[in-house]
Amino acid sequence: MKIIYEDKNVDVEKVVATQIMIEALRNAMSKLNEEEREIIERLYFNDETLRAVAKTQNISHPALIKRRDKILEKLKKFIEEI
């Protein structure tokens, strides 16, 4: 006989909701083109600065901010479609 103990510290609903959000983000990221995906990955997953990414992209800091904002809007639309 197997006894299962419930861990009161684990919020199963939160864990499931987080996993669903992660999957939605992965799905949305896969719809971006390579350049867009690289910008988002470098800014949000590699913690690179806007200036550092702008320099490697050969664009100005303000131009990267505009591009980032457009990409984030795209991601938002992709996630809302799910």
Side-chain angles (χ1 to χ4, degrees), residues 2 7-9 14-15 17-18 26-27 35 53 59-60 66-67 77 79:
K2 199 176 201 180
D7 185 347
K8 304 270 186 210
N9 295 324
K14 247 185 202 174
V15 171
T18 300
R26 278 191 187 128
N27 185 26
E35 181 185 351
V53 175
I59 59 175
S60 69
K66 285 181 184 178
R67 195 172 292 178
K77 285 179 185 174
I79 290 171

Side-chain angles (χ1 to χ4, degrees), residues 10-78:
V10 176
D11 185 341
V12 176
E13 279 186 36
K14 247 185 202 174
V15 171
V16 171
T18 300
Q19 289 299 322
I20 290 169
M21 286 189 289
I22 290 169
E23 189 56 37
L25 179 59
R26 278 191 187 128
N27 185 26
M29 289 282 293
S30 73
K31 294 178 181 181
L32 297 176
N33 67 41
E34 191 175 328
E35 181 185 351
E36 293 168 332
R37 196 168 34 255
E38 180 184 345
I39 289 170
I40 294 303
E41 286 174 356
R42 291 178 67 191
L43 291 174
Y44 295 100
F45 297 101
N46 298 349
D47 279 337
E48 294 184 46
T49 65
L50 283 163
R51 292 190 191 283
V53 175
K55 188 175 182 179
T56 61
Q57 294 282 324
N58 292 319
I59 59 175
S60 69
H61 178 256
L64 180 63
I65 291 172
K66 285 181 184 178
R67 195 172 292 178
R68 178 206 57 196
D69 292 348
K70 285 181 183 178
I71 297 168
L72 291 175
E73 273 302 313
K74 267 176 114 169
L75 281 172
K76 183 179 174 187
K77 285 179 185 174
F78 292 150

